[in-house]
Amino acid sequence: MTATTASGHSRAGAIFRVTSGNFLEQFDFFLFGFYATQIAAVFFPASSEFASLMMTFAVFGAGFLMRPLGAVVLGAYIDEVGRRKGLIVTLSIMASGTILIVLVPGYESIGLLAPALVLVGRLLQGFSAGAELGGVSVYLAEIATPGNKGFFTSWQSASQQVAIIVAAALGYALNQWMAPAMIADWGWRIPFLVGCLIVPFIFLLRRNLEESEEYAARKHRPARAEVLRTLLQHWATVLAGMLMVALTTTAFYLITVYAPTFGKTVLHLSTADALLVTLLVGVSNFIWLPLGGALSDRIGRRPVLVAMTLLTLASAYPALTFLVNAPSFLHMLVVLLWLSFLYGLYNGAMIPALTEIMPVEVRVAGFSLAYSLATAVFGGFTPAISTFLIQYTADKAAPGYWMSFAALCALGATLFLYRRSRGQLQPALS
């Protein structure tokens, strides 16, 4: 085996080990969104299905409110102690939240303690995820070969799509094997249990993760207080980064986490059809994300980011209007595959761009904070906001307005952060 081949295998192994935690995070998040109606009935019974579902999505979104705190606390910790140790800590906290949700009895058994414990589980997951994405993305950027940072970092998001595919396939299988009443009673817990069972395997993978050479060679390791001061000094860059991430988080949670509920409750498609569409969207995302990263390596981040935001502004609401006017499995698949294309190319370029605009000494904390704020403000509450907009506007395509607003924010932030053409990064506040 040549040195080049060995190095390639080593990097491929590092990518697999570091993204395994991302798989677990998105696996659980998707399950919470897909089984929202069952979770609502078990933990959040209310006078109407709308009220019960809104409480469930509010708890789902509450986990995202913890992300900025996790980004600052755990992100600073990772910048101080290293990528390997920090990512093992985030995985431990994430696993604790997942196990808690699986084991909590329903409202009928323990009353208000049931939704309270589910909320605690979601808060733990959110706190951990606040630094998980940043830690993984920065690690991938630091081990990337020259000229391929976009392609390498795209595997952070690509690993999440594998989770969507596996979770959707598992849900589809359960829907075929079990009666709806049985799934609503206890069967919905089975996929969450599967997530718990793979935790030890992911721990073994993370234990063998090597520190990135770039971080290991760095002489200065900022203490957490210094990380916080640097973040405050670069607050405008973090804020602009948050707005740039807005389109990614909104689009992702719209076409994956919220899509099954949208298909069932709004379009009145079968559970099997909604799950199959979501599975195929996950496959589509997996294909477009690396292509978007590689394309941004070739022509620059800025052209890809600007083109995708403009296309989203022009097509998000019209596409959803077409879907709700003629709901069918085929139409839902076509529309979500189009939105998947927009999301995949945009996110493939956005992730490496976000690692590049942050000061190197606080790269994980800065990336994590910007990403977490975007997820808390935009993406995490996309299911709840979409449900609310549809209910109070009587427009089933109203989620398209929300996605268009996120695209407008992303376009403004991209133009603000990039001042030169040819994709050359020039933060306005460097």
Side-chain angles (χ1 to χ4, degrees):
M1 182 182 294
T2 66
T4 301
T5 303
S7 177
H9 287 171
S10 176
R11 283 191 170 88
I15 292 172
F16 179 66
R17 285 190 289 272
V18 76
T19 56
S20 59
N22 265 4
F23 173 94
L24 177 64
E25 176 207 347
Q26 203 52 59
F27 184 79
D28 292 330
F29 281 11
F30 172 79
L31 291 177
F32 200 101
F34 174 68
Y35 290 107
T37 53
Q38 289 86 355
I39 291 173
V42 173
F43 296 111
F44 305 96
S47 57
S48 70
E49 181 183 2
F50 169 71
S52 182
L53 198 58
M54 281 299 293
M55 285 191 289
T56 303
F57 281 139
V59 169
F60 178 75
F64 295 99
L65 295 178
M66 287 294 289
R67 284 196 174 202
L69 179 61
V72 173
V73 175
L74 294 177
Y77 176 74
I78 295 173
D79 278 323
E80 181 181 4
V81 305
R83 315 315 187 203
R84 177 184 175 275
K85 290 181 180 179
L87 288 172
I88 290 176
V89 170
T90 61
L91 178 61
S92 303
I93 299 173
M94 186 190 310
S96 300
T98 300
I99 293 170
L100 181 60
I101 292 175
V102 170
L103 298 179
V104 173
Y107 182 89
E108 290 186 358
S109 300
I110 59 175
L112 290 175
L113 188 60
L117 289 175
V118 171
L119 176 60
V120 170
R122 284 291 299 131
L123 294 179
L124 286 173
Q125 288 180 329
F127 183 74
S128 166
E132 170 74 18
L133 288 176
V136 170
S137 299
V138 169
Y139 182 87
L140 292 172
E142 290 178 348
I143 68 169
T145 54
N148 293 297
K149 186 180 292 186
F151 178 73
F152 269 69
T153 56
S154 68
W155 292 103
Q156 177 262 102
S157 297
S159 67
Q160 297 179 355
Q161 311 315 311
V162 177
I164 297 297
I165 295 167
V166 173
L170 184 57
Y172 184 86
L174 285 177
N175 189 66
Q176 300 301 311
W177 296 336
M178 301 177 69
M182 190 177 297
I183 294 176
D185 186 28
W186 60 270
W188 64 269
R189 293 181 187 265
I190 293 176
F192 285 94
L193 180 60
V194 172
C196 293
L197 293 177
I198 66 175
V199 168
F201 175 66
I202 297 176
F203 266 113
L204 290 176
L205 290 175
R206 282 269 171 102
R207 282 184 61 189
N208 295 322
L209 188 67
E210 296 181 1
E211 190 58 79
S212 73
E213 293 182 7
E214 181 178 334
Y215 179 85
R218 197 172 301 154
K219 295 180 180 179
H220 177 62
R221 310 286 174 85
R224 269 164 277 188
E226 185 180 348
V227 170
L228 294 177
R229 286 196 300 271
T230 304
L231 287 176
L232 286 174
Q233 291 172 1
H234 293 269
W235 66 269
T237 300
V238 172
L239 181 61
M242 178 200 79
L243 295 176
M244 192 166 66
V245 180
L247 178 55
T248 278
T249 60
T250 301
F252 177 75
Y253 285 99
L254 182 65
I255 67 177
T256 57
V257 175
Y258 179 64
T261 299
F262 183 76
K264 290 183 296 181
T265 62
V266 178
L267 303 179
H268 304 296
L269 301 180
S270 69
T271 299
D273 282 351
L275 268 174
L276 187 55
V277 168
T278 307
L279 188 154
L280 294 174
V281 166
V283 174
S284 174
N285 291 344
F286 184 81
I287 294 171
W288 291 118
L289 283 162
L291 290 177
L295 182 64
S296 73
D297 286 330
R298 301 298 176 266
I299 68 173
R301 320 290 185 217
R302 183 178 183 272
V304 179
L305 296 174
V306 171
M308 292 304 106
T309 51
L310 291 175
L311 279 174
T312 302
L313 282 169
S315 65
Y317 181 76
L320 286 176
T321 299
F322 163 76
L323 174 59
V324 299
N325 287 337
S328 69
F329 169 82
L330 181 60
H331 288 171
M332 183 178 181
L333 179 61
V334 169
V335 168
L336 291 192
L337 287 181
W338 168 249
L339 298 181
S340 166
F341 165 75
L342 299 176
Y343 157 77
L345 288 192
Y346 179 83
N347 193 64
M350 190 279 299
I351 294 294
L354 194 59
T355 67
E356 292 163 349
I357 68 173
M358 295 300 166
V360 64
E361 65 272 16
V362 294
R363 190 177 285 161
V364 173
F367 182 107
S368 299
L369 183 57
Y371 206 106
S372 298
L373 287 171
T375 307
V377 175
F378 291 89
F381 284 98
T382 288
I385 290 172
S386 297
T387 303
F388 175 84
L389 288 174
I390 291 170
Q391 179 73 15
Y392 284 95
T393 65
D395 183 356
K396 295 180 180 179
Y401 289 129
W402 181 237
M403 188 170 176
S404 298
F405 174 68
L408 186 62
C409 293
L411 177 61
T414 298
L415 296 176
F416 173 72
L417 288 167
Y418 287 80
R419 295 191 303 187
R420 295 179 183 175
S421 59
R422 302 177 185 174
Q424 188 81 11
L425 183 65
Q426 181 67 24
L429 295 166
S430 58

